[in-house]
Amino acid sequence: MDIPINFLMWGLACLPILTLLVLMIKFQWGATDAAPIGLIITVLTGVIFYKADIKLIASESAKGIWNALTILLIVFTAVLMYQVGLEAKAFSVIRNGMRKLLPNELLLVLTMGWIFESFLQGITGFGVPVAVGAPLLIGIGVKPMWAVIIPLIGQSWGNTFGTLGAAWDALAMTTGLTAQSPEYLKTAFFTAAFIWFWNIIEGFVICWFYGKGKAIKKGFPAVICISMIQGGGELLLTQINTTIACFVPACISLIAVLLLSRTKAYNSEWCVKDSQIINRDFSESSSDDSPKNMKLIDAFVPYILLSVITLVVLVIPPVFNFFSQFKLALSFPETVTGYGFVNAAEPKFSPISPFTHASMFLFISSILGLLYYKKRKWLKQGSTKAIFMRAVFMTMPSGLAVIGLIIMSKIMAGTGQTIVLANGIANVLGGVYVILSPFVGMLGSFMTGSNMSSNILFSGFQNATANLLNVDPSVILGAQSSGASVGSAISPSNIILGTTTAQILGSEGKILKKIMVINVPVVIMIGLIAFAIVNL
């Protein structure tokens, strides 16, 4: 690669991302409006300054559309599940039933916004916890904007070892780590340790959102207990089996919260009356909206089905091996920029296994849930068509934004702008680069919406940089993936999943601003801890 790494080229590579941040945070643009501007700048920069030709731009755009399809399938099927529950008035039952089961409102919010999302992230990932979690939180009375913010934060700790370790496997594959080797286990240890730090902060942040100091005091025992199970359990299991390192602790935390609800601290009604995240008018006016003969377990049928189907397909090897053999992929030729930056030919680019994809689990669960509600007479005649039509109309506006953002990230990577961003930081900072190593991971997941994609993009670079700086690669790679995990909460494409199902599309800038003030300091702290470790 002969791309000159200087301030001009680095600044030009930053320009699309800075434009997105300014438009969304400063001017409060929605992602649907900001994405095309960022995309245009990326294309112009790539063609004029990074010497990309039309063939390369077209190829990377097609790759972006293909990748966006997988996200849009999740958006549509998650919206479909939401519409099924909405039409059957299941969310009213969930609200009333969960309030009886968990009378402490803070514990209820932690359960629906952190613990349940962690479980979904453990088995599905790909934004499903956000898309599914937002309407569930709205169902218990959380204001729509906070119903998006809370699951974005709550699920993010599980990004690396969640989805049965997909993002971790990508890091190991990219850097050549052999499973169960000393280097593999050491890297997994540091990654899980940094993530545990973020996990415990998540719990206290959600408490702060709910009721500030009063809620932190009340929620302290619960947060410590759940974080010991989630973060501590994940740390322990990474030394045994990385595939289940997130999933098993997430399952145990679901049981733990039910036990906590029986303790003296949480078994009676408690709430912060003036909580900024709760819509008291909503809670009071909707109290008798639920079908009289629908029980809590009936209302949760689509989500129970989602969990069971996902577990059966992904966890049982013969079932997974059978269904995963069916793959769809596109072929792309090699492309090269004028600077000699090569994108290798892809005979099977980003293959999709339709029968093991999260959207298939969501779709089947939605249809089975719909049939169940119909059989029990909770859906009116002709409601099926209305459910599907509303799901399509809710998905369409977010589709343009998702496609634009993913194409932008692919063109940035394909023209060399992404690698120039990372190299520029490393070249200028030298040994101090360790502090910003998690920022590189965050940058990757911000751009792509995926911890796995961030690890694929940057793990090799981080590993090489660690060796050049003569520091322990396991620490740097741990900072990379934990930074990507934290960054998944601020990815515009992930935020769109929540704003779509919460029906507040266009609020992405406000949400991004509120989360960034939490996530950026956390990434700085992870970097400082990593710097201290490598200099011990």
Side-chain angles (χ1 to χ4, degrees):
M1 181 183 78
D2 298 321
I3 303 175
I5 301 177
N6 53 44
F7 184 76
L8 173 63
M9 297 298 280
W10 188 83
L12 289 166
C14 286
L15 190 58
I17 295 172
L18 291 175
T19 301
L20 274 184
L21 291 174
V22 170
L23 290 177
M24 293 178 69
I25 295 176
K26 173 68 176 174
F27 295 102
Q28 298 295 302
W29 285 27
T32 305
D33 298 318
I37 305 299
L39 177 58
I40 290 169
I41 293 171
T42 303
V43 171
L44 291 175
T45 303
V47 171
I48 297 171
F49 297 97
Y50 280 79
K51 299 184 179 181
D53 57 20
I54 299 302
K55 178 184 175 184
L56 187 150
I57 298 297
S59 178
E60 296 304 316
S61 297
K63 290 177 184 177
I65 293 171
W66 178 251
N67 284 157
L69 176 64
T70 63
I71 297 175
L72 292 176
L73 285 171
I74 290 171
V75 174
F76 172 72
T77 49
V79 170
L80 182 65
M81 178 177 279
Y82 164 70
Q83 288 294 343
V84 169
L86 186 69
E87 186 71 18
K89 298 184 179 178
F91 292 115
S92 298
V93 177
I94 289 172
R95 178 187 64 248
N96 297 335
M98 290 302 292
R99 285 186 176 278
K100 290 176 183 176
L101 188 64
L102 300 171
N104 184 293
E105 191 173 67
L106 172 60
L107 192 63
L108 175 62
V109 171
L110 286 169
T111 300
M112 303 299 284
W114 181 30
I115 299 166
F116 185 60
E117 270 67 24
S118 299
F119 170 73
L120 290 176
Q121 182 63 37
I123 54 172
T124 57
F126 300 105
V128 171
V130 181
V132 171
L136 283 175
L137 282 166
I138 291 171
I140 62 169
V142 176
K143 295 175 183 177
M145 186 177 73
W146 292 105
V148 178
I149 291 171
I150 290 171
L152 277 165
I153 292 173
Q155 57 81 39
S156 60
W157 77 273
N159 266 249
T160 292
F161 295 102
T163 322
L164 301 178
W168 167 256
D169 289 342
L171 182 147
M173 177 191 68
T174 305
T175 56
L177 291 173
T178 304
Q180 300 306 307
S181 67
E183 295 80 11
Y184 180 96
L185 295 175
K186 190 177 181 183
T187 304
F189 175 86
F190 280 116
T191 303
F194 292 142
I195 288 173
W196 189 1
F197 173 69
W198 170 229
N199 173 267
I200 195 168
I201 288 176
E202 283 180 3
F204 287 123
V205 163
I206 294 171
C207 289
W208 177 263
F209 286 157
Y210 174 77
K212 299 191 176 176
K214 189 186 298 185
I216 288 179
K217 182 179 178 181
K218 186 69 175 178
F220 189 87
V223 170
I224 294 298
C225 176
I226 296 301
S227 187
M228 287 292 291
I229 294 168
Q230 290 184 345
E234 181 174 84
L235 182 65
L236 176 64
L237 282 172
T238 57
Q239 305 303 296
I240 302 168
N241 187 328
T242 53
T243 302
I244 59 171
C246 173
F247 172 65
V248 170
C251 289
I252 295 172
S253 67
L254 280 174
I255 299 169
V257 77
L258 294 177
L259 296 176
L260 279 170
S261 70
R262 300 293 180 264
T263 63
K264 186 177 179 180
Y266 300 108
N267 66 358
S268 58
E269 288 190 16
W270 185 90
C271 70
V272 174
K273 289 290 185 183
D274 58 348
S275 171
Q276 65 176 336
I277 73 169
I278 301 294
N279 183 349
R280 297 292 172 202
D281 295 333
F282 173 88
S283 299
E284 292 166 8
S285 64
S286 307
S287 58
D288 58 356
D289 191 37
S290 56
K292 301 301 179 186
N293 60 337
M294 184 187 287
K295 297 184 175 67
L296 181 60
I297 194 168
D298 295 318
F300 268 113
V301 159
Y303 304 98
I304 295 169
L305 289 169
L306 173 63
S307 303
V308 171
I309 293 168
T310 304
L311 283 173
V312 168
V313 175
L314 296 185
V315 175
I316 301 174
V319 178
F320 176 75
N321 292 336
F322 175 76
F323 284 113
S324 63
Q325 66 183 314
F326 305 101
K327 295 182 185 295
L328 300 173
L330 298 180
S331 175
F332 290 94
E334 179 185 280
T335 55
V336 186
T337 70
Y339 282 118
F341 186 82
V342 178
N343 296 291
E346 298 269 9
K348 292 183 179 180
F349 172 75
S350 194
I352 300 174
S353 297
F355 298 114
T356 60
H357 192 259
S359 62
M360 182 61 73
F361 306 144
L362 283 163
F363 182 73
I364 294 172
S365 303
S366 300
I367 298 302
L368 292 177
L370 186 150
L371 293 173
Y372 179 79
Y373 290 152
K374 267 199 164 186
K375 185 179 180 181
R376 302 298 298 271
K377 310 295 186 186
W378 292 321
L379 289 176
K380 297 176 183 176
Q381 192 71 26
S383 59
T384 301
K385 182 179 179 181
I387 287 168
F388 273 87
M389 291 299 292
R390 287 201 301 269
V392 169
F393 285 123
M394 274 184 71
T395 304
M396 286 173 62
S398 60
L400 294 174
V402 170
I403 291 170
L405 289 166
I406 301 299
I407 291 176
M408 175 180 150
S409 73
K410 295 304 298 182
I411 292 175
M412 285 190 69
T415 55
Q417 295 180 64
T418 299
I419 203 68
V420 166
L421 272 175
N423 269 296
I425 295 171
N427 291 347
V428 170
L429 295 176
V432 183
Y433 168 76
V434 175
I435 298 173
L436 289 187
S437 57
F439 273 95
V440 175
M442 177 185 258
L443 172 68
S445 56
F446 174 84
M447 289 165 51
T448 65
S450 165
N451 190 317
M452 182 171 69
S453 296
S454 178
N455 285 348
I456 292 170
L457 270 175
F458 290 128
S459 290
F461 161 78
Q462 296 263 35
N463 192 50
T465 303
N467 289 322
L468 285 172
L469 297 174
N470 199 28
V471 297
D472 189 345
S474 61
V475 178
I476 302 299
L477 292 174
Q480 151 66 34
S481 201
S482 59
S485 190
V486 177
S488 67
I490 60 169
S491 168
S493 57
N494 281 346
I495 295 172
I496 289 169
L497 290 171
T499 57
T500 301
T501 56
Q503 301 188 67
I504 53 168
L505 200 64
S507 303
E508 293 82 16
K510 294 178 182 177
I511 291 167
L512 181 62
K513 184 177 180 179
K514 286 187 178 293
I515 299 178
M516 281 191 73
V517 298
I518 305 295
N519 289 32
V520 171
V522 168
V523 171
I524 292 172
M525 285 188 277
I526 290 173
L528 289 170
I529 294 168
F531 183 76
I533 292 170
V534 299
N535 285 283
L536 284 176

